[in-house]
Amino acid sequence: MLIERLSHKDFSALAQLYKSTLLETVLPFWQNHSLDRECGGYFTCLDVQGNVYDTDKFIWLQNRQVWTFSMVYNRLEQRSDWLEMARHGVNFLTQHGRDLEGNWYFSLDRQGRPLIQPYNIFSDCFAAMAFSQYAQACGDSEAKEIALQAYNNVLRRQDNPKGQYNKAYPGTRPMKSLAIPMILANLTLEMDWLLTTECLDVVLNQTIHAVMEEFLDPESGLIYEHIAPDGTPIDCFEGRLLNPGHGIEAMWFMMDIGQRRQDNTLINRAIDTTLTILERGWDNEYGGIFYFLDRMGHPPQQLEWSQKLWWVHLETLVALLLGYRLTQRDDCWQWYRTVHNYAWSRFNDPDHGEWFGYLNRQGDVLLPLKGGKWKGCFHVPRALYLGWEHTQAML
């Protein structure tokens, strides 16, 4: 549904669009096609119609699906089928997801045997999110312990997230990555019911400082993906990298913290940064948001730089709706209209359900999949739920 067909700021129709798509299309798609009843866990490599084309199981996506069904159970309706979907993943992950030291693998085969070592902490991040949300849903004490263990793993390893699996030669070009403070901001808010007030405040303060004072460049207003340990820019491929989706997603995490703390200065700084990233990242020729850019205009090293990805546009919709909800700034609404019309007309699949993940620069479907190694049951349902929540709140 394009916004031009709505009356000006018809939040009732938008709320209905988000909620009906979530409940009638997206969640049923994963319920109908992803459950591995024989070996446990979920299939995430699903083609356009939901047929399984690969049976490997990726820990990020297994945990993200547990989080999704636990979240809708907690926040929308206590439906037994949603809780059972979450439990199905929890049982598989509890048995197979970690090594003997408690680190979460990257991927397993269908039966749950490890394929790829726990080479960074993002598997632990999503495990903490998943088991925290599941523990809230059913009061499971073991799930609570697993969530806290995974969260403490993230805190312990945040300065060296890849550990022994880091390929970089030590000392030559050290750098910090936005991904760590960015994900810690959201994860810590997710875990707030399990953390002490002191821990919550300390970690949130650290993430705000890192994102808004170190990775946010005051001159350009852009979020850098990698910086030197002292916070200065680096002139190399990684140091020049711009990831518009990451930057904008980090900004709605900052808005979320600002909302919690009633910090309007933080909220408006995050909105200003979102709009600056959009101005730089928008493809004025074909529409949509570029996947990667070089901050100095050089050719990016990522050959997929010009693709248009589902999660980038969904996180942008969330950021713009939240920004408008909190401030009623018209620039948020105008950009929201533009991104909404592009995303809903290109990624949404009304015929078979769910959203396509990968478009070429011109906006045509590049890969006819609904799930794979990186796309699962997370960004689409989370954005739909938040889109419904924000538009409903503005009625």
Side-chain angles (χ1 to χ4, degrees):
M1 176 172 57
L2 300 183
I3 287 185
E4 280 80 4
R5 298 176 187 170
L6 303 177
S7 61
H8 184 59
K9 299 178 183 176
D10 188 344
F11 296 118
S12 177
L14 282 174
Q16 180 59 32
L17 173 66
Y18 280 110
K19 190 174 183 181
S20 63
T21 306
L22 174 67
L23 298 183
E24 298 169 17
T25 305
V26 171
L27 292 179
F29 181 91
W30 293 98
Q31 288 179 278
N32 293 336
H33 301 298
S34 71
L35 212 61
D36 185 348
R37 301 182 187 278
E38 181 180 338
C39 298
Y42 314 112
F43 299 118
T44 61
C45 295
L46 306 176
D47 69 11
V48 65
Q49 295 178 320
N51 300 306
V52 178
Y53 66 86
D54 195 285
T55 61
D56 286 351
K57 292 170 181 172
F58 307 96
I59 295 296
W60 287 20
L61 303 184
Q62 299 289 312
N63 275 307
R64 283 172 161 186
Q65 188 155 339
V66 169
W67 178 88
T68 296
F69 279 96
S70 300
M71 182 275 292
V72 292
Y73 178 88
N74 288 330
R75 299 180 189 175
L76 270 180
E77 183 183 349
Q78 293 188 348
R79 285 177 44 172
S80 60
D81 58 326
W82 289 346
L83 186 59
E84 186 53 40
M85 280 290 293
R87 182 179 292 115
H88 188 80
V90 161
N91 291 340
F92 180 80
L93 288 162
T94 301
Q95 185 174 357
H96 301 292
R98 295 175 290 176
D99 67 12
L100 295 178
E101 283 74 46
N103 300 305
W104 290 82
Y105 296 111
F106 177 78
S107 64
L108 315 171
D109 68 6
R110 182 181 178 185
Q111 289 73 29
R113 294 172 298 192
L115 288 174
I116 297 181
Q117 300 274 16
Y119 69 88
N120 66 35
I121 59 173
F122 297 114
S123 292
D124 299 73
C125 288
F126 294 117
M129 282 179 63
F131 280 80
S132 170
Q133 198 69 230
Y134 180 74
Q136 277 188 291
C138 62
D140 187 296
S141 59
E142 183 183 11
K144 188 185 299 186
E145 291 174 7
I146 291 173
L148 283 169
Q149 187 265 339
Y151 182 76
N152 288 325
N153 241 12
V154 174
L155 293 183
R156 177 176 56 84
R157 296 175 57 192
Q158 62 178 308
D159 293 331
N160 187 20
K162 293 187 177 181
Q164 62 180 312
Y165 305 108
N166 194 339
K167 295 184 293 184
Y169 190 86
T172 301
R173 187 185 286 155
M175 61 179 67
K176 299 193 294 186
S177 171
L178 171 68
I180 303 301
M182 165 189 162
I183 202 166
L184 260 177
N186 182 242
L187 174 58
T188 300
L189 288 178
E190 280 280 331
M191 300 281 292
D192 65 350
W193 71 288
L194 288 175
L195 304 177
T196 65
T197 301
E198 180 183 7
C199 176
L200 190 69
D201 287 340
V202 167
V203 177
L204 290 181
N205 286 340
Q206 290 173 347
T207 62
I208 294 169
H209 175 78
V211 173
M212 304 304 290
E213 305 302 331
E214 296 181 336
F215 288 91
L216 175 57
D217 175 53
E219 184 175 340
S220 67
L222 297 170
I223 294 284
Y224 291 167
E225 196 71 10
H226 303 101
I227 55 175
D230 64 0
T232 57
I234 309 172
D235 188 6
C236 65
F237 275 122
E238 291 82 4
R240 296 192 303 268
L241 179 66
L242 298 177
N243 183 333
H246 255 180
I248 292 172
E249 187 177 12
M251 287 306 99
W252 81 251
F253 295 164
M254 293 296 106
M255 291 181 220
D256 210 10
I257 297 172
Q259 177 181 213
R260 179 190 182 93
R261 294 182 166 186
Q262 297 183 318
D263 185 343
N264 290 326
T265 300
L266 177 59
I267 291 169
N268 278 289
R269 280 192 72 201
I271 291 172
D272 290 341
T273 305
T274 298
L275 300 180
T276 299
I277 295 171
L278 263 175
E279 291 284 352
R280 179 67 177 271
W282 187 258
D283 184 346
N284 289 315
E285 185 174 356
Y286 294 105
I289 304 166
F290 288 118
Y291 191 15
F292 294 114
L293 292 169
D294 184 289
R295 64 180 170 85
M296 296 178 68
H298 301 311
Q301 67 171 329
Q302 290 83 359
L303 301 182
E304 68 274 24
W305 70 274
S306 64
Q307 290 180 19
K308 312 296 168 57
L309 269 68
W310 84 108
W311 71 266
V312 173
H313 294 76
L314 285 163
E315 299 305 321
T316 301
L317 290 175
V318 171
L320 293 169
L321 275 178
L322 178 57
Y324 184 77
R325 173 185 172 185
L326 296 176
T327 66
Q328 288 76 56
R329 284 177 52 168
D330 191 60
D331 45 6
C332 285
W333 175 252
Q334 295 306 324
W335 262 113
Y336 174 79
R337 286 166 53 98
T338 299
V339 180
H340 172 101
N341 287 342
Y342 180 89
W344 279 91
S345 64
R346 303 277 185 165
F347 290 101
N348 182 43
D349 181 2
D351 297 324
H352 301 107
E354 247 285 340
W355 281 36
F356 295 108
Y358 303 87
L359 311 179
N360 62 19
R361 182 178 178 185
Q362 291 72 26
D364 303 315
V365 175
L366 186 63
L367 294 172
L369 59 80
K370 298 298 174 55
K373 184 177 180 179
W374 306 107
K375 183 181 187 295
C377 181
F378 182 66
H379 283 287
V380 177
R382 181 174 75 168
L384 293 174
Y385 169 77
L386 291 172
W388 169 76
E389 180 182 65
H390 296 328
T391 49
Q392 184 72 22
M394 289 187 281
L395 287 177

